[in-house]
């Protein structure tokens, strides 16, 4: 049965509720999003934007954001092993063997994506993010390079209904233990937020243990009616083991096993394959509003990452200090019967990385193989105009100039080998037109997106400098609508897009599991993304029920891709499910909350030739929470109730067919929370 027809039938016979984002009774219409710099209600934003907030987080275990983000259309978060995350927005994980690439990430308005183009999303505690705004599609006109999209996250804010102290303790299957604490004092104009987090687990597979400690402090102070300052300091100590990919035979025989020894390569357990990362981030933020029409903002920050990565093929040590700044100015003026807002700004980043690769002798550092000094840098200058000729029409146009460079000096050879990507300057325009029709917004959007190779793609885990890799880019065209129907009780958000990407960067893996990259010619990426929620007409006996559903249709193919004697033109792009469905029911009765969730994922091709694929799978989960006292509640839940065998983070184009990284079977969690 075609799942698109199933959705259409279900979506209009059982429409879904306008659920909350950060408070149980707050509707999506009132959610304020940053979007393309100008803050506005979600219902009035002419772009493909999804929101993950308390309604999404509370349906699943607090140990991970994976399941919650996978309920959003067009978004797929994967986990090769606990702590090893990657995010695909409209298929952008094609080039991400691990980590987050081709997606920009900002936390509390501070840039987190480093100048090399990598985002260490896993350094954050899941509970540090109260709301995540996800922009799907090219955003280079405001947030810099990235054809995938952008993540804009914020933490919790003071509220009269909340206690200043939040504390939760949780345990679960496979040795899971998590402790979260928060102290939040003040009000919206002046607050301090301190968060601590500890998480550990043994993992479902052998060699997949995780331990993370996280500490952060966020401060905001409104000095006067015109001037606000803020600061962010965070520290993260993360370590997780990497079990490695399995062949289909190994996966079927014992999905819990780590990669066994093969040929000249040891097993993952013998190599003690793991990832150790210590991160420190500090930044300052200022906002000045001399008049109601003029606003100026500036951010300056520094970040330091120290990484140790014993792997099957080698032992890597990296230090990655970087710093940067972002500034913008906005001015609003009356024009005709409406207003026009001009925004201009820029962002600049610089890094000084040292990457040393050694042999791996039983998990210990051996002889030096390569030593490289990397100097990544990028600069962004942007401007945009937002014209609202009346209450119903809006025209938004933006343009940016982006320059990304990476210099590599191989210091382990004499004379030193030097490589420079040169001037990677790109122009990125964007224009959108929207019209309000009652309670419904209809919009059209055209934007150019591009993404240069990241530092990890130019110097991947093979330690071979890739001098031929080019930036990918293309135009995205989109039509969408969002608003309310059925006497304002049905919230519907839908869009259709077409994105033709040229010189698409794709991943390869050698026999050791090390990754390398190549350009794949052009791709044809069009799709449909729908999200819907419904608010019941009546709430008998105090019962409030809120069904919801989201649907994604991504039939992405290579338009033209020839490599040596192989022609992959017309083949399905691997790593991307053609169809996914996420649905659920949120039930509230007195002091009880029950969340039931379901997800279906189509089969996923695992290589460019489309000769191997992962089976479709279905996930069923539940979570029950009960308030004992005014501030104290207990919760418990289960994931993968059908005990499905599936791979949540496939290794695409792996030599020897080592594609599979098995996810956990049926598992449980329970905890207690004081708030």
């Amino acid at each position: 049965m075609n799942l698109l027809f199933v959705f259409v039938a279900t979506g209009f016979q059982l429409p879904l509720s306008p659920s909350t984002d950060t408070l149980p009774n707050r509707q999506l219409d009132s959610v304020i999003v940053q979007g393309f710099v100008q803050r506005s209600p979600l219902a009035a934003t002419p772009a493909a934007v999804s929101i993950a907030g308390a309604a999404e987080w509370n349906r699943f275990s607090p140990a991970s954001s994976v399941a919650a983000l996978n309920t959003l259309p067009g978004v797929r978060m994967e986990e090769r092993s606990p702590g090893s995350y990657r995010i695909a927005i409209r298929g952008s994980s094609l080039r991400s063997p691990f980590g987050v690439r081709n997606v920009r990430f900002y936390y509390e308005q501070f840039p987190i994506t480093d100048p090399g183009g990598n985002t260490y999303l896993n350094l954050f505690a899941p509970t540090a993010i109260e709301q995540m705004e996800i922009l799907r599609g090219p955003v280079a006109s405001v947030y810099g390079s990235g054809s995938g999209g952008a993540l804009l996250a914020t933490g919790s804010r003071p509220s009269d209904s909340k206690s200043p102290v939040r504390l939760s303790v949780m345990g679960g299957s496979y040795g899971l233990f998590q402790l979260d604490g928060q102290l939040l004092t003040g009000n919206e104009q002046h607050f301090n937020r301190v968060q601590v987090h500890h998480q550990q687990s043994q993992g479902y597979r052998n060699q997949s243990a995780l331990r993370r400690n996280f500490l952060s402090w966020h401060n905001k102070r409104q000095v006067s009616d015109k001037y606000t300052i803020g600061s962010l300091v965070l520290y993260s100590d993360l370590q997780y083991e990497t079990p490695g990919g399995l062949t289909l035979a190994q996966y079927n025989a014992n999905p819990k096993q780590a990669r066994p020894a093969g040929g000249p390569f040891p097993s993952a357990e013998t190599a003690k394959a793991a990832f150790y990362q210590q991160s420190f981030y500090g930044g300052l933020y200022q906002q000045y509003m001399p008049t109601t029409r003029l606003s100026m903002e500036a951010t300056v920050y520094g970040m330091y990452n120290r990484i140790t990565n014993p792997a099957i093929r080698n032992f890597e040590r990296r230090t990655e200090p970087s710093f940067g700044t972002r500034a913008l100015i906005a001015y609003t003026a009356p024009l005709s019967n409406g207003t026009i807002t001009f925004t201009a700004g820029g962002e600049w980043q610089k890094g000084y990385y040292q990457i040393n690769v050694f042999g791996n002798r039983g998990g210990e550092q051996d002889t030096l193989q390569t030593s490289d000094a990397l100097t990544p840098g990028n600069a962004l200058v942007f401007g945009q105009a937002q014209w609202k000729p009346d209450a119903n029409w809006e025209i938004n146009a933006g343009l940016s100039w982006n320059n990304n460079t990476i210099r590599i000096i191989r210091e382990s050879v004499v004379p030193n080998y030097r490589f420079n990507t040169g001037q990677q300057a790109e122009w990125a325009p964007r224009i959108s037109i929207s019209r309000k029709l009652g309670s419904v917004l209809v919009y059209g959007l055209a934007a150019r997106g591009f993404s240069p190779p990241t530092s990890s793609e130019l110097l991947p885990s093979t330690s071979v400098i890739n001098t031929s890799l080019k930036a990918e880019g293309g135009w995205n065209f989109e039509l969408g609508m969002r608003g309310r129907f059925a006497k304002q009780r049905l919230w519907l958000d839908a869009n259709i897009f077409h994105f033709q990407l040229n010189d698409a960067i794709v991943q390869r893996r050698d026999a050791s599991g090390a990754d390398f990259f190549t350009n794949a010619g052009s791709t044809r990426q069009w799709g449909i993304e729908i999200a819907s929620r419904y608010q019941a007409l009546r709430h008998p006996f105090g019962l409030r029920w809120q069904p919801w559903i989201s649907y994604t249709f991504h039939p992405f193919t290579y338009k033209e891709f020839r490599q040596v004697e192989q022609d992959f033109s017309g083949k399905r792009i691997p790593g991307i499910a053609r169809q996914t469905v996420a649905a659920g029911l949120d039930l509230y009765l007195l002091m009880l909350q029950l969340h039931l969730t379901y997800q279906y994922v189509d089969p996923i091709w695992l290589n460019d030739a489309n000769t191997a694929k992962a089976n479709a799978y279905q996930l069923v989960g539940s979570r029950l929470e009960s308030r004992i006292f005014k501030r104290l509640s207990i919760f418990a839940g289960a994931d993968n109730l059908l005990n499905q065998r599936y791979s949540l983070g496939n290794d695409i184009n792996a030599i020897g067919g080592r594609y599979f990284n098995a996810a956990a079977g049926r598992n449980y969690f329970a905890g207690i929370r004081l708030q």
Side-chain angles (χ1 to χ4, degrees), residues 181-244:
Q182 174 179 282
L183 177 63
L184 178 59
T185 61
N187 51 45
E188 285 291 338
Q189 288 72 42
H190 181 193
F191 68 83
N192 281 278
R193 186 184 71 229
V194 177
Q195 293 178 304
V196 294
H197 161 88
H198 171 76
Q199 184 184 55
Q200 64 184 52
S201 71
Q202 292 302 311
Y204 171 71
R205 297 177 62 189
N206 298 336
Q207 195 65 24
S208 64
L210 162 73
R211 185 179 68 83
R212 175 173 49 217
N213 292 311
F214 175 84
L215 174 65
S216 72
W217 171 59
H218 182 218
N219 167 271
K220 177 182 176 181
R221 180 180 178 85
Q222 186 171 327
V223 179
S224 68
D225 293 340
K226 299 180 179 180
Y227 183 56
T228 301
I229 60 173
S231 60
L232 174 68
V233 177
L234 64 85
Y235 172 76
S236 178
D237 183 2
L238 170 70
Q239 54 182 268
Y240 60 86
E241 297 174 336
T242 53

Side-chain angles (χ1 to χ4, degrees), residues 454-666:
T454 67
S455 59
S456 297
E457 291 164 341
L458 292 171
L459 185 60
S461 52
T462 58
S463 297
V464 177
I465 300 173
N466 192 333
T467 60
S468 61
L469 203 58
K470 297 180 291 185
E472 62 180 22
W475 277 91
N476 179 67
F477 301 94
E478 194 163 329
L479 292 173
M481 57 80 66
R482 68 165 57 89
R484 293 189 175 278
F485 301 87
K487 298 181 179 180
Q488 303 298 302
R489 297 194 175 273
L490 171 66
W491 170 269
L492 185 63
D493 190 339
N495 66 276
I496 181 170
F497 67 92
H498 181 273
F499 186 27
Q500 182 168 320
L501 192 63
N502 297 315
D503 295 317
I505 298 174
V506 297
Q507 168 200 352
R508 295 285 185 275
R509 282 185 176 271
D510 66 14
S512 69
D515 56 271
F516 61 100
F517 301 86
T518 185
N519 291 106
S522 60
T523 67
R524 183 183 291 109
Q525 301 178 200
W526 77 276
I528 300 171
E529 299 162 347
I530 305 174
S532 185
R533 304 181 181 188
Y534 184 77
Q535 184 175 14
L537 292 174
R538 296 179 180 178
H539 302 304
F541 310 109
L543 174 67
R544 183 160 58 96
W545 57 279
Q546 297 182 344
W548 55 271
I549 191 170
S550 69
Y551 173 77
T552 301
F553 181 63
H554 283 175
F556 298 170
T557 60
Y558 288 122
K559 182 179 180 181
E560 183 179 357
F561 181 21
R562 294 179 176 85
Q563 191 174 50
V564 192
E565 297 180 355
Q566 295 179 302
D567 187 353
F568 301 127
S569 302
K571 297 290 187 181
R572 290 280 306 281
I573 298 177
I576 302 167
R578 188 170 185 264
Q579 297 181 101
T580 62
V581 175
L585 180 64
D586 301 326
L587 298 169
Y588 304 88
L589 177 62
L590 301 177
M591 301 175 73
L592 292 174
Q593 296 182 31
L594 176 62
H595 304 277
L596 305 174
T597 56
Y598 168 82
Q599 184 185 24
Y600 168 83
V601 178
D602 253 356
I604 297 175
W605 291 108
L606 301 173
N607 58 15
D608 290 328
N610 291 178
T611 58
K613 65 180 178 181
N615 293 331
Y617 62 86
Q618 304 176 73
L619 301 177
V620 175
S622 66
R623 171 170 163 164
L624 176 66
E625 182 165 346
S626 175
R627 186 183 302 170
I628 303 175
F629 302 107
K630 183 178 180 180
R631 301 292 184 185
L632 188 66
S633 61
I634 59 174
F635 60 90
D639 294 322
N640 193 7
L641 283 168
L642 301 180
N643 202 29
Q644 294 265 288
R645 179 177 297 181
Y646 70 105
S647 176
L648 188 55
N650 302 299
D651 290 342
I652 303 304
N653 289 317
I655 297 296
R658 297 184 180 276
Y659 304 117
F660 302 95
N661 289 282
R666 187 184 297 114

Side-chain angles (χ1 to χ4, degrees), residues 265-266 271 311-315 358-360 369 461-463 510 512-514:
F265 303 107
I312 290 176
R313 115 187 290 271
N314 54 34
F315 190 110
F358 306 85
N360 184 352
Q369 296 178 351
S461 52
T462 58
S463 297
D510 66 14
S512 69

Side-chain angles (χ1 to χ4, degrees), residues 208-396:
S208 64
L210 162 73
R211 185 179 68 83
R212 175 173 49 217
N213 292 311
F214 175 84
L215 174 65
S216 72
W217 171 59
H218 182 218
N219 167 271
K220 177 182 176 181
R221 180 180 178 85
Q222 186 171 327
V223 179
S224 68
D225 293 340
K226 299 180 179 180
Y227 183 56
T228 301
I229 60 173
S231 60
L232 174 68
V233 177
L234 64 85
Y235 172 76
S236 178
D237 183 2
L238 170 70
Q239 54 182 268
Y240 60 86
E241 297 174 336
T242 53
L246 301 176
T247 65
L248 180 60
Q250 294 164 349
Y251 174 71
N252 288 333
N254 179 14
K256 292 186 176 182
Q257 66 178 309
R259 171 178 168 161
F265 303 107
S267 68
E269 292 175 283
T270 300
K272 298 181 180 179
F275 194 88
Y276 304 89
Q277 177 177 337
Q278 291 82 40
S279 300
F280 177 82
Y281 189 101
L284 297 173
Y285 165 80
Q286 298 183 77
Q287 182 184 51
Y288 180 55
M289 299 181 64
T291 69
T292 56
R293 295 183 180 180
L294 180 63
S295 173
M296 294 178 283
E297 300 177 13
T299 302
V300 61
Y301 70 93
M303 186 175 187
Y304 178 82
N305 293 299
R306 183 175 65 185
I307 297 168
T308 303
N309 180 204
I312 290 176
R313 115 187 290 271
N314 54 34
F315 190 110
E316 184 181 57
R317 291 188 182 275
R318 307 204 308 260
T319 56
E320 299 177 343
S322 62
F323 53 92
T325 184
R326 179 177 171 89
L328 63 88
I329 181 171
Y331 180 75
T332 301
L335 180 65
S336 184
N337 294 325
T339 61
I340 186 168
T341 300
F342 296 98
T343 305
E347 187 172 325
W348 178 82
Q349 294 178 301
K350 194 74 170 181
Y352 295 92
Y353 300 172
Q354 185 67 43
I355 302 177
N356 296 326
V357 178
F358 306 85
N360 184 352
R361 183 170 54 186
E364 300 294 331
Q365 174 182 311
D366 200 0
T367 307
L368 178 68
Q369 296 178 351
T370 59
S371 179
D372 297 283
L374 273 70
T375 309
N378 64 67
L380 158 72
V381 179
F382 65 87
Q384 72 173 15
Q386 181 186 44
W387 180 35
K388 296 181 179 181
D390 56 38
N392 295 319
W393 284 95
E394 177 182 320
I395 300 175
N396 198 314

